[in-house]
Amino acid sequence: MGCAHVDRIGKVKSAFSFALVFFHLLSSSQTLAAPADIGGLTVTLPDAGWRKAGKDDLFMLQKDFPETDDDKRGSALIQITKPLSTPRASLPAGMKTFVATLPDMAKEDILIKHYGMTINGHDIRVEERCCINQKNVSISQIVVGIAGDKRQAYLQLVLLNLNGDRSESAEADFEALVRSVKLDPSDKDFDLLPAGGDGGLDGVFTHLDTGVRPNVFGGVDFYSDSEITMFDPKGLFSTELPKGGRSIAEHCKEDPTDCGLYKLTGGFFSSAGSIEMRSVTSAYGTIETETKPFSKKGDDLVIDEDDHRAVPPFKDGATLDGEWVSTFASSGMTATSSGSVASSHTLTLHSNGTFERTGWSGASMTNEIGGSQSGVTTSGNRPGASGRYTLSGYRLDLTDASGKTESMSIFEPDKASDGLLVINGSNYLKDDGQ
């Protein structure tokens, strides 16, 4: 890494010291317009309460959060370097240097990381670390490095005394800013646009995934999920069914982390030997590419040796008749605590186009500290609802007596059987009365 690179990032460290003082003084500053050119780096800035706080080679924004009954006064800082003339291969070393602008943070393990490519083909690394304390201020850090063949840029979000919804709102602004970064003049806006050679499949396919996973109570839960992949002929795919009548393109624009791009290789469509899937793996726009063995088996697909069964859509105006129940239960215990949660939701559909909904949920938890035990138990019923429903494609609309309509995704994972419905991602088993 060149001396100019180290010097530039060293100024970030000095600017961060300034930022801590700035946090304590909370001085006023000018609200920025959304577009910005930072030494040739183009970004779209957040404009809801963010103010310019940096100087010299560092571009810095700050947003303050007032003290409330539940939270201390806090701030979020976004820091952006001007582009550095450094080769692509030095990105990992540059990340270490940038993280070390908070020396104590560099000692912390990475909690969350995303490594991949941007929509423009640049390398991108995202690392999140938490938490250190300085002058009674709790600090967490998210660092992003983006590298092309000749230039790099580094960005970070520093959260000071922020958690919960306030932290999430600052992170969402930072994620959108990172997605907007244009390192080179030829870079395009973040969007999932199929390229030549992409596409070739059409429809919804399901794969049954089963296993066990840990839960929040210290135990393990068995799961059985009917995972879906929706393929658009032009080259988009989604791992969630669009809700509310949206097209797959509209869904992927609003929820890109459900989506990606694909192309079939090694042959022509049905004879292709592999499928390349370029998935959006984070809200920062990181894209990871996997190439998997692929073949067709009648109307179904085999991807990486897993069967993916074609799921036909419901015909417009189709009806169902029966009662379907979705249940969930989770429990576990540690040396000092135990807990459990359970819920059940029932949806009854009639052939005349009417429906009823009911449900309940409950939870309990106990803790033992210093020989004394405390606990809490809660439960409640979901208000019943009834009205009319319509089925069309992969969409279920429930319109209650007041005229309010709720749109949900729906499909039948088992061929020629309504014994299991997957509604908004949850399994609903048909109650046969036995």
Side-chain angles (χ1 to χ4, degrees), residues 61-213:
L61 301 175
Q62 176 167 341
K63 184 175 183 178
D64 302 317
F65 296 81
E67 183 176 358
T68 68
D69 292 339
D70 298 321
D71 297 297
K72 297 180 180 179
R73 175 169 53 89
S75 280
L77 302 171
I78 292 176
Q79 302 169 329
I80 308 172
T81 65
K82 293 181 180 180
L84 310 169
S85 297
T86 312
R88 186 187 292 255
S90 67
L91 179 60
M95 287 286 289
K96 290 182 180 178
T97 302
F98 199 76
V99 169
T101 58
L102 288 172
D104 291 340
M105 193 66 77
K107 302 173 186 177
E108 300 295 321
D109 293 333
I110 302 172
L111 294 181
I112 299 173
K113 64 181 179 181
H114 303 284
Y115 300 158
M117 303 288 287
T118 71
I119 200 73
N120 291 297
H122 305 311
D123 290 344
I124 179 171
R125 298 170 75 94
V126 181
E127 298 179 0
E128 180 175 343
R129 291 172 173 84
C130 180
C131 297
I132 61 174
N133 285 275
Q134 292 184 5
K135 300 180 180 179
N136 296 319
V137 177
S138 174
I139 305 172
S140 59
Q141 175 196 54
I142 301 174
V143 170
V144 178
I146 301 175
D149 290 332
K150 298 180 180 179
R151 303 205 308 168
Q152 297 179 12
Y154 294 88
L155 311 88
Q156 74 172 332
L157 174 68
V158 180
L159 302 174
L160 310 171
N161 281 346
L162 291 184
N163 52 44
D165 292 342
R166 305 200 304 179
S167 172
E168 290 178 6
S169 69
E171 290 177 33
D173 286 344
F174 184 60
E175 291 162 354
L177 186 152
V178 172
R179 290 197 303 272
S180 77
V181 167
K182 296 179 182 177
L183 189 60
D184 296 326
S186 60
D187 285 352
K188 59 186 179 181
D189 292 333
F190 178 86
D191 199 1
L192 290 174
L193 296 175
D198 286 346
L201 300 173
D202 188 13
V204 174
F205 300 82
T206 184
H207 163 66
L208 183 62
D209 179 37
T210 61
V212 295
R213 55 190 168 209

Side-chain angles (χ1 to χ4, degrees), residues 35-59:
D37 185 302
I38 304 171
L41 180 77
T42 303
V43 297
T44 300
L45 302 175
D47 57 5
W50 292 89
R51 304 188 304 272
K52 186 175 180 180
K55 56 183 180 179
D56 300 328
D57 284 336
L58 181 71
F59 187 92

Side-chain angles (χ1 to χ4, degrees), residues 8 19-20 40 92 142 278 280 288 307 364 385 424 431:
R8 184 78 59 81
L20 275 178
I142 301 174
R278 309 188 297 278
V280 181
E288 295 182 9
D307 291 330
S364 66
N424 271 4
D431 186 352

